[in-house]
Amino acid sequence: MATIPKWPGSGSVVSVSSSSTPYGFYDDDVQFQTDAPKIANWVARRLGYPITDVELQDLQIYACFEEAITEYGAQVHQFNIRQNMLKTQGSETGSSLNGTAINSGDIPSLIELAGDYGSEAGVGGSVDYEKGYIEVRQGKQVYDLLTDASSSLNPSSSQYGSGSASTPTSFIKGQSNIEIKFVYHDDIPASTAFYGLGGYAGYRNLIDDFGFTQYGYTNTGPGRYLMYPMYEDLLRMQAIEFFQEFRKSAYTFKLRNNQLTVFPVPDGKFKIWFDYIEKDDRSNIKNRSKTGVVSDYSNVPYNNLVYSEINDVGKQWIRKYTLALSKEVLGEIREKYSNIPIPGDQISLNGPSLRSEAQTEKDALIQQLRDNLEQTSRQKQVEMESDISDKMQQQLGRIPNKIYIG
Amino acid sequence: MAFFQQRDFDFFQSINRELIDDFVETPVIIYKVDEKNTEKNLYGESVSGKSYQVGFQINALIARNDQTVEYDDFGSNSQQGIQFRFLRETLSDVSFKPWFGDIIQFNDAFFQIDNVIDNQLIAGNVDFSNSIIVDTHMTRRSKLNIDKLY
């Protein structure tokens, strides 16, 4: 008698050495070893055994079982990755995030993302701000950044030529594009003028003048100040800066292409400083990237689930999905030939309907799982809590207030 | 490698066995001519009727014509033609191949084999012969030396 490729009535023992499943993801899990023959038996019975033959062998059902667990894990982890992408991006890929509750906020990654804005504003980011200067000479109004400017730093010879900090040379050789961010000269910090005439006059040593130092206030340190609101200090500093910028500075400039024109014509020798960035530095993504860390969807360290740690809710989903997959395999087997010859005639099997049913069941299970996961997202949970709170307020609002009669 | 393999043929046999033995489940009894105990004349014809071996039961698919009755000078004569279709592998299991003259008992009647068709070759391959089909006609019980043993 030929080997009959059908369900023999029970499944074989699952073990690591027996290669019971194609990938062997869960073969070493004792609970998987126990459940696999049971699920195979259940699937066979759901497909008609022992009343009808089921043209499946245990290895095929085990393969479906393994795929169902993996699919369950994939769906759960896809949700986790979507939920935690910002939180995990940039973290180490080495250790698995399975079973890890990620409760941190998104602020670290948002700050990283905002770094470019900080670079442009000159308040952070990853693009270096360099400093250069032009020696302004008496009577010379127009200066060429390509030939007249020098770097205050020590530029590399390959990029800027052979200049050095001590003997600066023209540093823009047409090999690197720069962008001027700020032009200034000999500015006096507002803080130095803070206590000057018109700045803090009238307040300094006021405590001492009133003779309060004998009560514990000192003439140096914080105790020497009267307590004024902080905004008072801030407004004062801003006023000084505006004063210096608009009233005190006698110079202004225009910058077109590489030509810096100083107004009015300088009447002496001084330095005009400028801050600049290299455009390559801004666009070079490697300045802002790390390797060996979570970069995208593909390397967030979520791995296959541990079968024995899946709860019964998940296991029931896995059973149903195993059945749907088995049904699909059985349908494919029965559909390989549209007609099966029998003595003197031919018959057709129910392969197409099995496959159709299986596809419908698979889609429904996947959709159900995704819907459930979506309902557990942080956003949904917060929305639900908010709804509950609103509804509770409405209900509490219907409770009559006590009327006090005094 | 051929598209149709032994594995496919085994699958077909599994379906056929399930269909014939578990679903249709129509048993017939086949009596093979016992050539040793049948007395033959010069031309190999039986002289005093054929002897048959002990019958054995096997399931078959059956295509029946309606019974017809002929009336002649000697009275009425009931007739019926039936085609019995056997799974070749099932016959092979019991090492039996039906042949002309063998008797098949079905529905309390006896049918003598007139023709044997062994031609259902799956994918045209002689190694994958699926069935043996026999055409029969109803024969008189009185012509046969067949009795129940117990």
Side-chain angles (χ1 to χ4, degrees), chain A residues 11-55:
Chain A
S12 59
V13 175
V14 175
S15 65
V16 178
S17 57
S18 63
S19 300
S20 304
T21 58
Y23 290 104
F25 290 146
Y26 316 101
D27 287 0
D28 59 348
D29 191 313
V30 175
Q31 199 168 348
F32 178 83
Q33 294 171 0
T34 307
D35 283 0
K38 291 179 183 173
I39 284 185
N41 200 20
W42 175 73
V43 165
R45 291 184 188 188
R46 285 294 309 269
L47 292 172
Y49 185 85
I51 300 300
T52 60
D53 284 344
V54 175
E55 293 81 22

Side-chain angles (χ1 to χ4, degrees), chain A residues 1-6 51-55 333-334 336-337 339-347 349, chain B residues 3-4 8 10-12 14-20 23 61 85-87 89 93 120 122 130-131 133:
Chain A
M1 185 188 296
T3 305
I4 300 173
K6 62 184 181 183
I51 300 300
T52 60
D53 284 344
V54 175
E55 293 81 22
I333 290 168
R334 290 183 180 175
K336 179 177 179 182
Y337 297 98
N339 294 303
I340 303 291
I342 61 172
D345 208 341
Q346 60 184 14
I347 58 170
L349 302 181
Chain B
F3 177 70
F4 192 86
D8 299 295
D10 292 343
F11 173 66
F12 284 5
S14 168
I15 298 292
N16 274 271
R17 281 178 183 274
E18 184 184 15
L19 175 74
I20 295 169
F23 286 104
L61 298 176
R85 300 166 178 175
F86 300 100
L87 186 64
E89 198 177 69
D93 289 344
Q120 192 181 21
I122 308 299
N130 193 51
S131 65
I133 298 169

Side-chain angles (χ1 to χ4, degrees), chain B residues 85-99:
Chain B
R85 300 166 178 175
F86 300 100
L87 186 64
R88 199 176 204 283
E89 198 177 69
T90 310
L91 292 171
S92 177
D93 289 344
V94 292
S95 303
F96 176 77
K97 183 171 183 179
W99 199 241

